[in-house]
Amino acid sequence: LCRPLESTELIFSTGISELDRLFPAGGIPYGQMIEITGGGSSGKTSLLILILAAITRDKGTAAYVDYGHSFFPAAAVAGGIDLNRLLVVTPQESLEGVRAAELLLDHHLVRSVAFDLVGITTPLPFTLIHRLRTKTTRAKALVIFLTEQHTTLLPTSSVSPRLEVERRHQTTLTVTVAKSRLCLEGITTEVSIY
């Protein structure tokens, strides 16, 4: 179902067994650019918080590029994120956010960068995303884009996997692999968010 991983690839385990089982070797290989997408109130931000919590819990550092200026520290703490290990970047325009991420990856200051693109309408420039992809691979980092469903903010060739999120119940999300170079597309799992 999934391509075998090379032994040199490092795996990020989210600690959410249902989510990790979607990927080879029980987690997401570092060096990937991931898109988490869904409609309003789908739970996509809750899933991102769970992933960032796992990164900071494992003593990793992460950056949160907050284009919409909607980062809510209390919700992050309630979701398990260690704020001492999270750098929040609030760019005024798209170039600033991508450039900040590049600098953080170039200098190995973070292992993961999350871009909150919810509410953004202007696509990110293809050349910047392509360059960021190269830096992500070289740094063996993890870059996550949070987007609204049915938006075209990212070049389709730049992200894999693309995870679509739907809220199933108050505390349960359905996560579907909508696009992936790593494993079979269309596979689904349920994730508990509390």
Side-chain angles (χ1 to χ4, degrees):
L1 295 176
C2 299
R3 75 169 179 84
L5 292 172
E6 298 173 11
S7 59
T8 57
E9 290 181 304
L10 301 174
I11 306 301
F12 166 64
S13 172
T14 65
I16 307 163
S17 59
E18 299 84 6
L19 186 60
D20 289 339
R21 279 196 298 263
L22 292 176
F23 303 99
I28 305 168
Y30 279 108
Q32 303 299 311
M33 290 176 57
I34 299 166
E35 182 178 6
I36 298 175
T37 189
S41 301
S42 62
K44 60 188 177 290
T45 303
S46 297
L47 182 63
L48 176 62
I49 287 173
L50 288 176
I51 292 171
L52 291 175
I55 291 167
T56 61
R57 184 174 51 248
D58 291 340
K59 306 301 180 201
T61 53
Y64 189 95
V65 182
D66 183 18
Y67 283 103
H69 301 239
S70 59
F71 180 73
F72 188 47
V77 170
I81 294 175
D82 180 350
L83 292 183
N84 293 317
R85 297 190 163 277
L86 183 71
L87 174 65
V88 179
V89 178
T90 53
Q92 298 305 311
E93 46 126 304
S94 62
L95 300 179
E96 288 178 4
V98 176
R99 186 65 186 129
E102 288 179 339
L103 289 170
L104 291 168
L105 294 175
D106 282 346
H107 295 286
H108 305 285
L109 298 174
V110 297
R111 190 67 189 270
S112 178
V113 179
F115 286 83
D116 186 345
L117 302 177
V118 173
I120 302 302
T121 57
T122 305
L124 297 177
F126 175 77
T127 52
L128 288 182
I129 296 301
H130 177 70
R131 193 169 70 196
L132 181 62
R133 180 166 200 32
T134 301
K135 291 177 183 287
T136 301
T137 302
R138 284 186 189 149
K140 294 217 177 286
L142 194 61
V143 171
I144 306 165
F145 295 98
L146 189 70
T147 65
E148 290 283 357
Q149 201 164 20
H150 308 303
T151 58
T152 54
L153 298 175
L154 304 166
T156 56
S157 60
S158 64
V159 290
S160 178
R162 182 174 200 256
L163 304 176
E164 291 185 355
V165 180
E166 291 181 50
R167 186 174 300 278
R168 182 120 169 120
H169 301 291
Q170 183 79 17
T171 60
T172 308
L173 306 177
T174 299
V175 180
T176 302
V177 179
K179 176 188 172 219
S180 180
R181 290 185 292 269
L182 300 173
C183 54
L184 215 62
E185 295 177 2
I187 52 178
T188 298
T189 191
E190 287 191 0
V191 173
S192 173
I193 56 173
Y194 296 104

